[in-house]
Amino acid sequence: MKTTKRENKSGTVRYLHLAHNEWDPVKGRAVPKVLFTFGREDELDREAVKRLVTSLSRLLTPGDALAATATSDLEFVSSVPFGGTYVLDHLWRRLKIDQIVGRVGQPKRGRRRDMTVTERVLFGLVANRALAPSSKLAAADWITNDVHLDGLAEVGEQTCYRAMDWLHEVKDDLEKQVFDEVANLLNLEVDLLFFDTTSTYFELEEPDEALARDKRGDRLTGEQAEQEAQATGFRTYGKSKDSRDDLPQIVIGMAVTRDGVPVRCWCWPGNASDQRLIRQVKDDMRDWTLSKIVWVTDRGFSSAENRRYLRQGEHAYIIGEKLRSGSAEVKAALSRQGRYTETTGNMRIKEVRISDTDRFVICHNPEAAERDAHMRQQLVTQLTDLIDGSDALSEFKRGELRGKIATKPGLNRYLRTTPAGKLRIDAAKVKAEENLDGKYLLRCSDPHLSAEDIALGYKQLLEVERGWRDMKQIIDLRPVYHRLEERIRAHVILCWLALLLIRIIETTTGSTWPACRRDLDRLHLGTFTGPAGLFRQVTALTKPQRDLLAKLSIPAPKQVVDLQPAPR
């Protein structure tokens, strides 16, 4: 705006003009050029000016228009992380989980339930596990105050609990439909399916009350409960894989593909035996119309009954054998002569034939053999120091020392007691262990897989271990802030869904989730208010953020996410 003055009989009069500067080569300076004259300032038609500004604002984005028309009263209100929930929400919708939530659990007749709020709450809880894992009370506060979730401005704790209760009711259908969408999206070939279990403990003084349960570990009621002899609590004592046998626990199982994508998860009471679980898992996967599956499990599932069960139908298995089991098959396999074949990944393999139905592959890792030898030498040295001079002890004191060593399996393995009660190093045991350094034995029922594929397939079982590690360290499976069994089971499903989204991001981008999350957390959403209204604007994308979105085929977010004009 340019202002000019003119003197007249009544005093000084100010005139307003719309002008811009043009360079005058003759004068050698910028000269203002009047584009439009508004007339006298004291007679200005302000309504006409407003109409002009409104017309010009149509050429701008809503945020630019609001910022351009706002005065110096524009105020920055808040800023919250935006990138993490933006990416997770796109993948959530790409997998059609929002549609699946709207479909499952609907009544066959009558009016359909509106699941919009439930779907948004469930996504918020899953995003919380992936971005800032916390209790459901803290998660509700996080959703309301600390992050932007499209379609969910705020939520209460009880709403979260109701959504979890519904999730537990429909978990079977939901898991099946989610897997179908993941298989279509990633073109999954579920030829090798890896299964393993873990446990998670609870800081409780007493286990849960024992209740009647079926073979699957599900709670029974009514006449079924009266007829059922097996009774156990959900959170109860068992063999802990976290070395916390002193605390109640539950057992969790997970099946993943060779790419580490989690297919399904299960929960059982804390005293469930691994030997029986694999049969239930195979039955549960039977109705998923999968092609031929080769089940890959570790030594905890290697019983003869499990092997027969996994071989039913068109399925096969790759199972690790216990080298120290003393079985005739293991002894025969290890005693067979033959040359090893070098393979990738610092591994040597040798296939031996000792059965008409199963194939055995001996794998040898030279680096692991060196580690095993080093660890054994340390144990033998420690044991030698402990029993040195024990011959001079009384029989009672020597018995005490023997009992102390018996509590340490690593040391006890190399200890022998003479007929006279003297403590000695078991040289024969040391020699036998040397023959096992760096080795593991695999049993496979598939006649078409090569020995190398069998070895590499079993090695990929580490993907399940990586899943458990991420569950416990990144998604924070534990601590579980729930008492009711249904809520605990729903909590595990939420963790599984979070791990699913994380694995898709990792397999697509080739980066780790902590690195992706770090870049996404730097993308923020700022809230501004002023006389013209309120708007929320996303910060400019950095190059790492643009590259990440491009790898995931996710469009860049709108610059202005929300615009609320002030009431007139």
Side-chain angles (χ1 to χ4, degrees):
M1 292 298 296
K2 176 179 174 57
T3 304
T4 59
K5 300 179 181 179
R6 181 176 297 178
E7 299 291 338
N8 58 22
K9 295 180 180 179
S10 59
T12 302
V13 179
R14 293 164 55 90
Y15 292 86
L16 301 178
H17 312 275
L18 180 65
H20 77 102
N21 291 334
E22 288 186 349
W23 180 258
D24 189 333
V26 178
K27 296 182 180 180
R29 60 184 175 84
V31 177
K33 179 181 179 180
V34 175
L35 301 177
F36 182 78
T37 298
F38 291 96
R40 292 175 54 151
E41 183 179 26
D42 56 345
E43 298 177 355
L44 179 65
D45 186 352
R46 299 188 180 277
E47 292 300 323
V49 173
K50 288 182 180 180
R51 291 193 296 272
L52 176 61
V53 171
T54 301
S55 298
L56 293 175
S57 297
R58 294 171 184 165
L59 304 177
L60 304 176
T61 63
D64 291 338
L66 183 58
T69 56
T71 65
S72 57
D73 294 333
L74 186 65
E75 179 182 358
F76 172 67
V77 177
S78 65
S79 174
V80 295
F82 176 81
T85 54
Y86 176 76
V87 167
L88 292 172
D89 200 6
H90 266 75
L91 293 179
W92 178 271
R93 297 176 189 274
R94 185 178 297 173
L95 292 174
K96 300 180 181 179
I97 301 180
D98 56 331
Q99 300 178 27
I100 293 172
V101 172
R103 288 197 303 264
V104 297
Q106 290 286 359
K108 295 182 179 180
R109 295 182 179 180
R111 184 177 180 182
R112 293 174 58 87
R113 291 186 296 178
D114 185 2
M115 302 301 297
T116 304
V117 175
T118 300
E119 180 271 326
R120 287 288 80 193
V121 172
L122 289 176
F123 168 72
L125 294 177
V126 170
N128 176 256
R129 302 317 306 175
L131 297 170
S134 56
S135 68
K136 301 307 176 288
L137 176 61
D141 182 74
W142 177 79
I143 293 171
T144 303
N145 300 305
D146 299 333
V147 75
H148 174 80
L149 261 68
D150 185 32
L152 187 64
E154 60 181 2
V155 68
E157 180 187 11
Q158 295 303 318
T159 305
C160 294
Y161 288 147
R162 286 194 294 271
M164 291 178 65
D165 293 341
W166 176 87
L167 178 63
H168 175 260
E169 294 176 2
V170 302
K171 63 183 181 67
D172 292 337
D173 288 342
L174 183 136
E175 287 174 334
K176 173 64 171 64
Q177 295 190 38
V178 168
F179 170 76
D180 290 341
E181 294 298 334
V182 173
N184 293 333
L185 177 66
L186 301 181
N187 295 320
L188 289 182
E189 295 181 2
V190 189
D191 51 352
L192 292 183
L193 200 60
F194 303 85
F195 176 76
D196 198 6
T197 62
T198 190
S199 59
T200 187
Y201 59 83
F202 296 78
E203 302 283 353
L204 300 175
E205 294 183 359
E206 297 291 338
D208 289 344
E209 178 186 359
L211 299 173
R213 297 181 181 274
D214 59 17
K215 295 180 180 180
R216 299 171 52 87
D218 295 331
R219 195 169 54 199
L220 297 175
T221 57
E223 295 182 359
Q224 288 181 321
E226 296 177 0
Q227 298 172 359
E228 185 65 37
Q230 182 180 3
T232 184
F234 188 57
R235 297 177 296 178
T236 190
Y237 295 110
K239 180 58 180 175
S240 173
K241 298 190 177 182
D242 297 308
S243 300
R244 293 305 305 265
D245 292 346
D246 59 319
L247 292 174
Q249 66 173 21
I250 64 171
V251 175
I252 303 172
M254 183 165 59
V256 305
T257 67
R258 64 167 69 222
D259 296 321
V261 178
V263 172
R264 191 171 180 178
C265 64
W266 292 263
C267 290
W268 295 281
N271 59 358
S273 169
D274 281 355
Q275 291 291 347
R276 297 198 307 268
L277 301 183
I278 188 66
R279 285 166 249 159
Q280 176 193 329
V281 171
K282 184 177 184 296
D283 289 341
D284 288 346
M285 301 296 289
R286 181 188 303 156
D287 299 329
W288 282 30
T289 62
L290 300 174
S291 58
K292 178 181 177 180
I293 296 177
V294 178
W295 291 89
V296 185
T297 65
D298 65 9
R299 295 166 295 180
F301 305 93
S302 60
S303 69
E305 186 175 358
N306 281 343
R307 296 198 304 270
R308 286 194 299 269
Y309 208 84
L310 291 178
R311 204 162 43 227
Q312 293 176 2
E314 296 295 325
H315 295 180
Y317 57 74
I318 300 174
I319 297 180
E321 284 289 319
K322 298 178 181 179
L323 290 178
R324 299 176 181 86
S325 65
S327 69
E329 291 175 318
V330 171
K331 290 180 179 179
L334 294 177
S335 64
R336 287 293 178 89
Q337 301 297 316
R339 292 185 177 181
Y340 284 96
T341 302
E342 300 288 340
T343 64
T344 58
N346 194 31
M347 185 189 301
R348 303 191 304 159
I349 60 174
K350 177 175 65 175
E351 182 173 359
V352 294
R353 292 281 185 174
I354 59 174
S355 170
D356 294 334
T357 57
D358 285 345
R359 302 163 58 194
F360 290 83
V361 177
I362 301 175
C363 304
H364 179 256
N365 186 323
E367 291 184 358
E370 293 180 5
R371 289 195 300 270
D372 292 345
H374 177 69
M375 292 297 297
R376 183 176 57 256
Q377 183 58 46
Q378 286 185 321
L379 291 171
V380 171
T381 301
Q382 184 181 354
L383 180 60
T384 302
D385 293 339
L386 283 174
I387 66 175
D388 186 31
S390 61
D391 291 355
L393 297 176
S394 66
E395 184 178 349
F396 178 77
K397 288 294 185 181
R398 203 159 47 236
E400 279 189 338
L401 178 60
R402 177 71 182 88
K404 177 181 177 182
I405 296 174
T407 62
K408 301 177 180 179
L411 297 177
N412 191 53
R413 179 182 301 168
Y414 304 110
L415 180 67
R416 72 179 179 88
T417 305
T418 67
K422 304 295 179 66
L423 303 181
R424 296 290 186 267
I425 300 294
D426 191 339
K429 187 65 175 177
V430 173
K431 180 63 176 177
E433 287 293 317
E434 288 179 356
N435 295 330
L436 302 180
D437 286 349
K439 295 179 181 178
Y440 53 93
L441 179 63
L442 305 179
R443 180 197 290 259
C444 179
S445 64
D446 192 316
H448 305 295
L449 288 176
S450 67
E452 183 175 359
D453 287 340
I454 293 172
L456 294 178
Y458 186 78
K459 194 174 182 180
Q460 288 176 315
L461 190 60
L462 293 174
E463 288 294 337
V464 189
E465 298 294 338
R466 186 166 71 98
W468 292 134
R469 186 168 60 251
D470 288 351
M471 272 269 208
K472 294 182 178 181
Q473 297 179 4
I474 296 178
I475 303 177
D476 284 3
L477 173 68
R478 185 181 56 245
V480 183
Y481 301 96
H482 299 287
R483 176 181 57 84
L484 299 179
E485 178 178 334
E486 292 78 7
R487 301 264 172 86
I488 296 173
R489 291 179 182 271
H491 170 79
V492 174
I493 298 173
L494 292 174
C495 292
W496 164 68
L497 287 171
L499 182 63
L500 173 64
L501 297 180
I502 287 173
R503 280 292 178 269
I504 292 175
I505 292 174
E506 290 181 332
T507 55
T508 306
T509 63
S511 181
T512 64
W513 171 243
C516 295
R517 181 174 59 188
R518 192 162 48 246
D519 285 333
L520 293 173
D521 281 345
R522 293 168 182 156
L523 184 63
H524 273 234
L525 181 70
T527 301
F528 301 83
T529 60
L534 175 147
F535 70 96
R536 295 185 173 91
Q537 182 168 330
V538 180
T539 57
L541 291 174
T542 63
K543 186 179 184 307
Q545 292 166 353
R546 286 196 299 271
D547 293 343
L548 182 60
L549 294 178
K551 290 178 180 178
L552 294 170
S553 300
I554 294 177
K558 296 179 181 179
Q559 186 178 12
V560 175
V561 174
D562 186 21
L563 179 64
Q564 302 175 17
R568 296 181 179 275

